[in-house]
């Protein structure tokens, strides 16, 4: 079992930055692929970014490529999402997720999910 708790959301002006954190419980954190999804009001949950267990491989949605960076610290059981040059369309609830495979962590059927943290970008 893996439990995930997100933090770091908030209100920021367009062009600003935020860093989200996701703290994971469990001794096997380093064996999981980790990812971030987001869900805006009235829209489906969408993939944002994913990172391999080693941290050497990452993947991003086209809408955030070049602005967001996913990273992880296996010693702290934490995954991060650094968000720069934020836009109003980035406003959403951001969810951390975990899975044993890349295909799993990049899908809505991922094994484990956090409760989400709200990010609001004002224009």
């Amino acid at each position: 079992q893996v439990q995930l708790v997100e933090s770091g959301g908030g209100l920021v002006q367009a062009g600003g930055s935020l860093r989200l954190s996701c703290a994971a419980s469990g001794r096997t954190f380093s064996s999981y692929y980790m990812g971030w999804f987001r869900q805006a009001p009235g829209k489906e949950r969408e993939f944002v970014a994913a990172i391999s267990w080693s941290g050497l491989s990452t993947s991003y949605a086209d809408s955030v490529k070049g602005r967001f960076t996913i990273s992880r610290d296996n010693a702290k059981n934490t995954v991060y999402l650094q968000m720069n040059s934020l836009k109003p369309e980035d406003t959403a609830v951001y969810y951390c997720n975990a899975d044993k495979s890349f295909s799993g962590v990049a899908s809505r059927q991922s094994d484990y999910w956090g409760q989400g943290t709200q990010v609001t970008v004002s224009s």
Side-chain angles (χ1 to χ4, degrees):
Q1 280 280 27
V2 177
Q3 292 185 327
L4 306 172
V5 179
E6 302 95 336
S7 62
L11 174 64
V12 64
Q13 288 188 332
S17 298
L18 280 175
R19 189 176 81 155
L20 305 183
S21 299
C22 174
S25 66
R27 294 175 291 178
T28 59
F29 171 78
S30 60
S31 66
Y32 281 84
Y33 285 81
M34 300 296 297
W36 289 93
F37 274 67
R38 66 186 182 187
Q39 187 166 18
K43 295 188 177 181
E44 289 189 340
R45 193 173 295 192
E46 64 174 3
F47 171 77
V48 174
I51 189 166
S52 64
W53 62 269
S54 67
L56 295 179
S57 296
T58 57
S59 180
Y60 297 92
D62 288 343
S63 58
V64 306
K65 205 170 290 183
R67 299 188 298 122
F68 291 11
T69 302
I70 188 171
S71 61
R72 66 190 295 163
D73 185 337
N74 288 339
K76 295 183 178 179
N77 279 14
T78 302
V79 63
Y80 304 98
L81 185 68
Q82 178 67 43
M83 305 185 295
N84 299 329
S85 302
L86 282 161
K87 305 174 182 180
E89 51 263 45
D90 294 319
T91 295
V93 177
Y94 282 71
Y95 297 91
C96 174
N97 67 318
D99 202 281
K100 285 288 194 178
S101 70
F102 176 77
S103 59
V105 82
S107 80
R108 299 188 193 95
Q109 285 71 47
S110 187
D111 287 341
Y112 302 103
W113 293 89
Q115 294 300 306
T117 185
Q118 176 71 46
V119 171
T120 303
V121 184
S122 64
S123 56

